Amino acid sequence: MAEGGFRLPGCSYEELVNIIIAYGTRDSAASPGDVGKLNAVHQSSASRTNGFLVEIGVLTGERERLVTRRGRELALALARKDAEGIRRSWRAMVSSSEFLQNVVSAVKLREGMLYPTLQAYVAHAAGQPRNKPVMTGAGTVIEILKAAGLLREEAPGQLTATLEDGFGEDSEEEPTREPVGEVTLEAGSGPSLNIHLHIRCAAEDLDEVVPRLKELLRELRG
């Protein structure tokens, strides 16, 4: 995570898609200026969003941004409008981002959150002020998690988490599957013990609660 907080995207999800496609499908796109020339994306949007793309593993590099293998796979899936490829590629990105995983975990722990509430939580967890550009970026994060199939809208504006299949099921690395809020303890061939934890706290406290809960679950399972 970058010093001073997590860098949120500086544009809408639709603009982010265009930026990723420009970086990932055109070999000559290595800078925000190149992206602006190659696609219908303003250069400033690409500049504001580069930090986020580096954070989640779409891009690498400091001065010259180079698209990663996973980033190129995502770009191609987005360009082809391949829904399954998009879902799989976004999940691979989430599997490597603790921040994005914690956002999904926060929704899971609350047993659902309203869209504006989750936007505010994302901004707070990222250490950013709740101004219009930040809230737009927070909304983009939510749309990414929806595209990954990790969040869904049960009703308009009401988001729930879907963690049954794990974050990174389709990535090359073996995913770490740690259920949030539930643990099963087994003793040999005897009966198993299921523990269900229901945590209720303010949205601004979730970024502290989630890591502690994960640590507790690891200790119980060990």
Side-chain angles (χ1 to χ4, degrees):
M1 185 180 299
E3 184 178 353
F6 186 86
R7 292 174 287 188
L8 295 173
C11 60
S12 68
Y13 180 75
E14 291 75 17
E15 289 178 303
L16 181 69
V17 167
N18 287 334
I19 292 170
I20 293 172
I21 290 173
Y23 272 126
T25 63
R26 319 285 180 83
D27 291 337
S28 59
S31 72
D34 294 335
V35 173
K37 294 173 185 176
L38 290 171
N39 220 333
V41 178
H42 195 277
Q43 180 177 342
S44 62
S45 294
S47 297
R48 292 194 304 269
T49 301
N50 275 347
F52 172 74
L53 295 178
V54 171
E55 290 268 19
I56 66 172
V58 173
L59 300 179
T60 187
E62 291 297 328
R63 299 185 64 181
E64 183 180 36
R65 307 295 187 179
L66 301 175
V67 68
T68 63
R69 178 184 58 78
R70 282 183 173 181
R72 191 173 297 278
E73 290 174 355
L74 173 60
L76 292 173
L78 290 168
R80 296 167 180 162
K81 301 187 186 302
D82 174 7
E84 178 58 28
I86 292 169
R87 184 193 70 86
R88 183 171 57 249
S89 292
W90 275 129
R91 282 202 173 199
M93 296 299 173
V94 175
S95 72
S96 63
S97 171
E98 183 180 358
F99 180 86
L100 295 181
Q101 291 182 37
N102 284 343
V103 172
V104 181
S105 297
V107 179
K108 179 74 172 180
L109 287 170
R110 292 286 291 270
E111 299 180 348
M113 294 176 72
L114 293 174
Y115 200 106
T117 303
L118 184 54
Q119 273 185 295
Y121 167 75
V122 171
H124 175 80
Q128 306 297 333
R130 297 182 190 179
N131 55 36
K132 186 175 181 179
V134 168
M135 297 303 278
T136 296
T140 300
V141 167
I142 295 172
E143 294 304 317
I144 287 171
L145 297 174
K146 288 170 60 180
L150 295 169
L151 295 182
R152 65 169 178 260
E153 286 197 56
E154 295 287 354
Q158 179 65 48
L159 297 162
T160 58
T162 57
L163 295 179
E164 292 82 359
D165 296 329
F167 288 110
E169 62 188 29
D170 299 303
S171 62
E172 290 186 352
E173 298 178 1
E174 181 66 22
T176 301
R177 301 183 184 199
E178 297 177 346
V180 178
E182 178 177 345
V183 63
T184 300
L185 305 178
E186 297 183 356
S189 59
S192 62
L193 172 64
N194 293 311
I195 301 175
H196 297 268
L197 303 177
H198 297 277
I199 308 297
R200 297 192 179 277
C201 61
E204 58 268 20
D205 296 328
L206 284 172
D207 53 337
E208 296 182 6
V209 171
V210 171
R212 293 180 182 178
L213 180 58
K214 286 185 175 181
E215 180 61 30
L216 172 61
L217 293 174
R218 281 193 291 268
E219 291 178 2
L220 289 172
R221 296 174 68 192

